[in-house]
Amino acid sequence: DGGITQSPKYLFRKEGQNVTLSCEQNLNHDAMYWYRQDPGQGLRLIYYSQIVNDFQKGDIAEGYSVSREKKESFPLTVTSAQKNPTAFYLCASSIKGGSVNEQFFGPGTRLTVL
Amino acid sequence: RKEVEQDPGPFNVPEGATVAFNCTYSNSASQSFFWYRQDCRKEPKLLMSVYSSGNEDGRFTAQLNRASQYISLLIRDSKLSDSATYLCVVSTLTFKTIFGAGTRLFVKA
């Protein structure tokens, strides 16, 4: 079955630790995205990538880093510089970059920093 | 002012009711419009795209009013399974996609 997987579903970390969230897709999509969702707020774009080895900052990139070494994979690292990292993180992909294409979402990772 | 605004609700309606959600957007250059559905603690899933001429998918009807910069979603004959949060999504040609905070719907028996 084609789709997007994110792991783990729940993640707990101590303050000051870096943590990497996994996102893999087998849909052969070119574009991938990372969003953050906080209670009562819309999704906010952290980073996106339209092609392998290229990525761009979204609206709230500070304290985060990404890589896109393979088409299928777009891991997100939440660094200790992120002031308020506890949130629901969603990875998405679309056939191509650009606004007209539907984005498909993974099941998300809930990160709690203690 | 938020770029995409939705009434957060919640909307509490009985089964079989018709319910309408509105969403306003501030960027007149917006080109693509969508409604997504998000169940509690789950990922968003595309419900329908919104076309200029309006479009219908079963019990769901989406409308776009470019002059007034709002889109709407109408759900007829509500089912218990329609209970969810409905996200309004607006995109521009320059690759900027904005998600609204969502409108919560509870359909009760």
Side-chain angles (χ1 to χ4, degrees):
Chain A
D1 289 337
I4 303 176
T5 57
Q6 291 185 244
S7 61
K9 189 171 182 178
Y10 298 96
L11 188 57
F12 297 88
R13 278 295 180 269
K14 291 183 179 179
E15 195 172 339
Q17 290 182 330
N18 291 357
V19 60
T20 297
L21 311 184
S22 166
C23 177
E24 304 278 333
Q25 54 97 1
N26 60 4
L27 300 167
N28 199 32
H29 285 174
D30 286 328
M32 296 186 75
Y33 316 79
W34 273 105
Y35 293 91
R36 168 184 174 138
Q37 188 174 36
D38 294 284
Q41 296 192 40
L43 278 67
R44 291 184 290 167
L45 183 64
I46 304 171
Y47 268 99
Y48 65 96
S49 168
Q50 298 191 64
I51 197 168
V52 174
N53 292 322
D54 184 62
F55 49 82
Q56 307 295 329
K57 291 182 179 180
D59 298 321
I60 55 165
E62 185 175 351
Y64 300 97
S65 65
V66 293
S67 62
R68 187 87 186 277
E69 297 176 1
K70 298 186 299 181
K71 187 175 186 178
E72 303 79 19
S73 179
F74 191 40
L76 173 75
T77 297
V78 184
T79 74
S80 56
Q82 168 50 232
K83 297 284 186 275
N84 186 19
T86 294
F88 186 36
Y89 290 88
L90 288 157
C91 178
S93 70
S94 63
I95 294 173
K96 294 283 184 187
S99 62
V100 298
N101 295 296
E102 173 191 358
Q103 294 185 22
F104 295 84
F105 285 85
T109 293
R110 290 194 180 274
L111 173 65
T112 301
V113 175
L114 306 171
Chain B
R1 183 188 172 188
K2 291 182 181 179
E3 292 185 78
V4 175
E5 292 203 65
Q6 297 182 250
D7 182 342
F11 284 61
N12 294 289
V13 302
E15 270 188 297
T18 295
V19 61
F21 305 137
N22 288 327
C23 166
T24 58
Y25 60 94
S26 60
N27 188 342
S28 59
S30 299
Q31 292 293 326
S32 300
F33 308 89
F34 309 90
W35 283 102
Y36 278 71
R37 171 195 169 124
Q38 185 173 25
D39 292 294
C40 188
R41 302 180 73 81
K42 296 290 182 70
E43 74 274 24
K45 295 184 179 179
L46 180 69
L47 180 65
M48 58 197 303
S49 301
V50 186
Y51 303 119
S52 295
S53 56
N55 48 300
E56 188 174 306
D57 183 2
R59 298 182 292 109
F60 299 85
T61 300
Q63 298 279 353
L64 167 63
N65 185 320
R66 286 188 183 273
S68 301
Q69 295 183 205
Y70 80 80
I71 67 175
S72 64
L73 176 68
L74 184 76
I75 305 175
R76 292 182 299 279
D77 189 22
S78 298
K79 312 290 184 191
L80 293 175
S81 58
D82 292 334
S83 297
T85 297
Y86 291 83
L87 307 177
C88 171
V89 182
V90 175
S91 295
T92 67
L93 287 176
T94 55
F95 190 76
K96 186 171 175 66
T97 298
I98 306 296
F99 285 76
T103 298
R104 295 186 71 185
L105 172 66
F106 294 102
V107 181
K108 52 186 190 289

